[in-house]
Structure formats: C-alpha cells, structure tokens
Amino acid sequence: MASNLKMTPQLEQIHGEIRDIFRALANGFQKLDKIKDSNRQSTQLEELTGKMRDCERLIKDFDREIKDEGAGNPEEVNKQLNDEKQSMIKELNSYVALRKTCMNTIGNKKLELFDMGAGASESTAEGNVQLASEMSNQELVNAGMKTMDETDQAIERSKQVVHQTIEVGTQTASTLKGQTEQMGRIVNELDSIQFSIKKASQLVKEIGRQVATDKCIMLFLFLIVCGVIAIIVVKIVNPNNKDIRDIPGLAPPVPSRRLLYVRTGELFD
C-alpha cells in the first residue's frame, strides 16, 4: 500500500526512515531471542528502545507533514496517508508491548523505561509501557489517536493565544500612534502659546517704556508750569525786583499813583 501512496519528497524520506527502523526492530528482537547472556540482552534492548524513540519522533514528523500538506492534497490521498500513519502507530505499539515482554523475561529492572511522550517522566513512561502491554492493537491505535487529538487541540489553543496576542499588539500600536500624534499637536500648540507669550512680553515692555516716557514728559511740563507760576507770584509780590525779567505777554505792574487835590481858595499854578 505504501508504494501506491502519493507523497512529497519530504514525506517519502520520513516514511522510508520509519520503515528502516521497523526492519531494524524486527531483526533486533529476533537476535534478542538468540542471546543467552542477560547483560547482552539488556544492551540489545536499550538499543532497540532508542530506535523506538526515534521511530516515535519520525511518526510525529510524518503526521505534521500530512497536516501541513493536507489542504493541497485530494481527500482520498489524505485518507490513505492517515491510514498509513495509523498502521505505523499500531506497528510501533506492538514493538512497545514486545519490549515490555522481553523486560519481564530478562528481569532487568535497571533499564531506562521507554518514554512514550516527549518530556514525560520515567514513572509516566513506565505506566505507558505497562498500559500498552495490556491493550489490544485497536485500543493502542485509539489511545494514540486520542493523544494526537489532544496535541492538536493544544496547538490550536496556542494558535488562538498567539492570534489574540497579535490583535492586542496591533491595538496597542494603533493607540500609541494616536497618542503620538496627539502629543505632536500638543507640542505645536505649546510652541504657539510660547510664541504668543513672548510677543505679549515684548508688547508689555514697549508699553512700559512708553508710559515711563509719558510720565517724564508730564513731570517736565509740571515743573515748567510750577516755575512760571512761581515767577508770576514773585513779580506780583515784589515788582521792583530787577533780577527777574518780565514775562513776555504779561503787562508790567501798574505804578502807584498819588492823588492831588486842591484846598479851598488855592489855585493851580
């Protein structure tokens, strides 16, 4: 069936590596039955465990490639690829169960337990191996599908979080842009206000200088008027004072006159 599948070069490469590992596992377990020394059996089983880990990783890569290219493939091709994936999962689970049987046979409790999930603890891996040994092939396939579905859901949730983060970032950028433009307008208005204040200060200074000049003129005129009044008063009080000249336009004071009268019986000469 695999030879009739329509695969991309990347999928063909991954599929070929998985099949090579399955052949190596089959040969390895056949050799394991012929080995009598328990230490050599443990070493052989550790090598087979490493190959199963590699196979599990490649199956995940195979599934990821199917999903990435699913939109461009016909539905029938996607169905065949998924069936092939399920077949490989089932075959891998059968080797996992066989490994558990061999471990019980050789009685080596110090072997590393096969990790069925990336980042899982040893206790979790042991539980997975024990569970796999007790399940049928169909149950193993269903369990693998369930795990993959949970992984897909986790990926979708991560995508939603990323999408929401991008939206929040876009809104934040838009808000910052609006605030930047508003700050620019405020700065321009402040510049205009500062310029107006500067012009007003200059105008106030000019008005102050004009007022000071007007006060000086008024004081000077007041002094002149006071001086003229003082001169007039002095001329009236002491008209014979020769030190003070006559004010132009002001008539000189009238000299005092003596009245002449004639007594009775006297004649004018």
Side-chain angles (χ1 to χ4, degrees):
M1 176 181 177
S3 59
N4 297 328
L5 290 176
K6 181 180 179 182
M7 300 182 187
T8 62
Q10 183 68 20
L11 276 177
E12 288 182 356
Q13 180 180 356
I14 297 174
H15 186 268
E17 292 178 1
I18 293 173
R19 285 303 169 189
D20 291 340
I21 291 176
F22 282 154
R23 285 191 290 270
L25 289 174
N27 294 331
F29 278 108
Q30 288 178 0
K31 293 179 180 179
L32 188 63
D33 293 337
K34 300 177 182 179
I35 297 175
K36 303 301 182 181
D37 183 51
S38 60
N39 292 329
R40 291 180 58 191
Q41 286 180 341
S42 298
T43 302
Q44 179 70 11
L45 195 58
E46 288 177 357
E47 293 178 358
L48 295 176
T49 300
K51 292 183 182 297
M52 282 187 277
R53 290 195 185 99
D54 294 337
C55 185
E56 181 187 13
R57 176 181 55 81
L58 290 172
I59 291 176
K60 290 180 180 179
D61 293 340
F62 187 84
D63 180 63
R64 191 179 301 110
E65 289 292 330
I66 291 175
K67 292 178 180 178
D68 292 341
E69 300 174 3
N73 292 332
E75 184 178 355
E76 182 63 25
V77 173
N78 289 332
K79 183 178 181 302
Q80 292 176 356
L81 292 175
N82 285 318
D83 291 342
E84 179 65 16
K85 178 190 68 176
Q86 296 300 329
S87 175
M88 291 187 295
I89 293 174
K90 181 179 180 180
E91 188 171 354
L92 177 61
N93 287 332
S94 66
Y95 285 118
V96 171
L98 182 60
R99 173 186 175 277
K100 177 62 178 176
T101 302
C102 293
M103 286 179 61
N104 293 332
T105 301
I106 63 178
N108 189 350
K109 303 299 182 180
K110 296 182 180 180
L111 291 176
E112 281 188 12
L113 296 173
F114 180 54
D115 188 359
M116 296 298 294
S121 63
E122 293 184 358
S123 59
T124 304
E126 183 180 3
N128 290 334
V129 172
Q130 291 176 351
L131 182 62
S133 64
E134 297 172 357
M135 296 169 63
S136 65
N137 290 336
Q138 184 61 37
E139 289 176 341
L140 291 172
V141 171
N142 293 335
M145 287 297 298
K146 181 179 179 181
T147 302
M148 290 182 179
D149 291 338
E150 292 175 352
T151 304
D152 293 339
Q153 292 175 3
I155 293 173
E156 289 298 326
R157 289 193 296 270
S158 300
K159 289 181 178 179
Q160 292 178 0
V161 171
V162 171
H163 182 67
Q164 292 174 356
T165 304
I166 292 174
E167 289 182 351
V168 172
T170 303
Q171 294 176 359
T172 303
S174 177
T175 303
L176 289 176
K177 182 179 179 181
Q179 291 178 350
T180 302
E181 294 176 351
Q182 184 177 3
M183 290 296 294
R185 291 192 295 269
I186 292 174
V187 170
N188 294 332
E189 292 176 359
L190 289 175
D191 291 339
S192 300
I193 293 172
Q194 185 177 4
F195 178 76
S196 301
I197 292 174
K198 185 176 180 181
K199 294 294 291 183
S201 299
Q202 293 177 354
L203 182 60
V204 169
K205 290 179 181 179
E206 292 178 0
I207 294 174
R209 285 195 294 267
Q210 293 178 359
V211 170
T213 303
D214 293 342
K215 287 182 179 180
C216 291
I217 294 173
M218 292 297 293
L219 179 61
F220 182 70
L221 292 176
F222 177 74
L223 294 175
I224 292 175
V225 172
C226 290
V228 173
I229 294 173
I231 293 172
I232 293 173
V233 171
V234 171
K235 290 295 287 184
I236 294 174
V237 173
N238 191 6
N240 296 321
N241 190 349
K242 300 301 183 180
D243 295 333
I244 301 176
R245 296 181 180 180
D246 294 335
I247 300 174
L250 183 64
V254 179
S256 61
R257 296 182 182 180
R258 299 176 64 183
L259 298 177
L260 300 178
Y261 62 92
V262 180
R263 295 179 180 178
T264 304
E266 292 183 359
L267 298 174
F268 291 100
D269 289 337

